Amino acid sequence: MRESGIGVLLTQLRTERGWTQQRVADEYNAVEGSSAKTGKEIGRYEREARIPVPYTRRYLARVFSIDAAMLDRAVAVSKSRKGEPESALEPRTRPSPQGAYPLSVRAVSDDAAVSADFARFVAARNADEVVVEQLEADVAWLARSYVSHPLLEMHSQIKRLRDGVYELLRGRQRPRQTADLYVAASRLSGLSAHVCLDLGAYDSAATHARTARTCAEAAGHEGMLAWVRAVESLIAYWNGRYDQAARLARAGLHHRARGSIEARLASLEARALALQGDCAGARAALADAERYRDAMSSQDELPGVFAFPGAKQFAYAGTTQLAMGGREQVQHAITSAKAAIQLYCCAEEDDQSVGDLYAAHLDLARGHLLLGDLEGTEVMLKYVLNSAPERMSASIVRRITDLGRELKAPQYVGTAQAVHLRERLQYTAALAASTTAP
């Protein structure tokens, strides 16, 4: 078995368990947390029409409960038989969340990055399936890491990979690889739009979103077309164009897409309608979001920023309910925000959205403030006020600033606790704004 190539090894591992290729794909998707892998792709691995990259091998090892080194050795056997160098298309080493690499390992990582760039340069003349699969793995990792890692840490990696894909598309590929590259370009342009959105650079975000939509249209990818509409709705929302935000969210629902995108679009519409004062429409859209969530028949293709977990849906619902106003809706908002926080805290660390946790805690604080509970407001603000300002996006800075203004209301004049909270909010907002200014 040790001398087997990767195709033979994967076939043996599968048949020993009595699994079909689709069963292997289903198990893989369950481990990775996506729905991207298909039985046909497993078949390509077994025929060695495509060699699984290290990212994929890591999850295949978990599927079969074996050491990933066994798959690595099998890949080396297959490549040696084909006369390919084992490391020609290996990915660059990704930084650890702490970024605490010894110098020697960092040098190796940088060297691997140069190697990966050269592989993409070669592929620009004729991109093959291995390069495309590596891109898919890199995009999936960036998408998941985006929600929990510092923005500046992710920006350079997103830009670097995106620019590389643009170069690949300027080369020559087979039609199938061209379509896959357009999807990757759409996703990376969408991530770039999110970077700009989080920095408050809305015009630049809109430019990247248009590019993402153009690439999605070129690939004919309905899921990305719907997702880009969601991003465009977000841009309009934070620009204060609530009517446009609602219309863009509704437009996204015209695309037939899998996963949680319908729940995302309905939640975006609900929040925008609530800010317009259309409470009936907002309640209907929130109900639609719940219905779409219940009717989900498949997982999202990619994790992280491309997915819309239940925790995020609760966070959006809380903001919407606060905007509708009234004591009953404020109570509902507090319940929704608490549910969002609980779900995120139970998730894996890489899936805990820093921005949504800030937003939910700020909604909790505002909910208590609207109920006249200043003590509760201060308790709920501790999470945000004790956090690193550089992790706060432009939208969180705006929420903090707005809450500080509310504490200037006449009923709080001369209240020492309100003055103290207002000063702390102003200080935090100023620090955070200095790191997110476009």
Side-chain angles (χ1 to χ4, degrees), residues 48-88:
E48 296 192 10
R50 174 182 282 186
I51 300 296
V53 295
Y55 175 89
T56 304
R57 298 201 295 269
R58 185 178 69 196
Y59 285 107
L60 285 172
R62 290 173 62 182
V63 166
F64 292 118
S65 299
I66 61 172
D67 189 338
M70 182 182 293
L71 296 177
D72 295 340
R73 290 193 296 269
V75 166
V77 170
S78 294
K79 288 188 174 184
S80 66
R81 289 173 181 169
K82 295 180 179 181
E84 297 179 10
E86 182 180 353
S87 60

Side-chain angles (χ1 to χ4, degrees), residues 299-346:
Q299 293 179 310
D300 293 288
E301 287 187 35
L302 289 181
V305 74
F306 292 108
F308 191 72
K312 194 176 188 75
Q313 187 167 335
F314 275 116
Y316 275 44
T319 304
T320 302
Q321 289 154 346
L322 281 179
M324 285 192 279
R327 192 173 187 85
E328 182 180 357
Q329 289 299 327
V330 170
Q331 293 284 9
H332 288 323
I334 289 173
T335 300
S336 295
K338 285 181 177 178
I341 293 168
Q342 183 176 8
L343 286 172
Y344 272 128
C345 289
C346 291

Side-chain angles (χ1 to χ4, degrees), residues 16 49 61 65 167 171 190 201 226 232 318 321 365 369 410:
E16 284 172 0
S65 299
E167 285 303 310
E232 291 173 329
Q321 289 154 346
L369 185 65

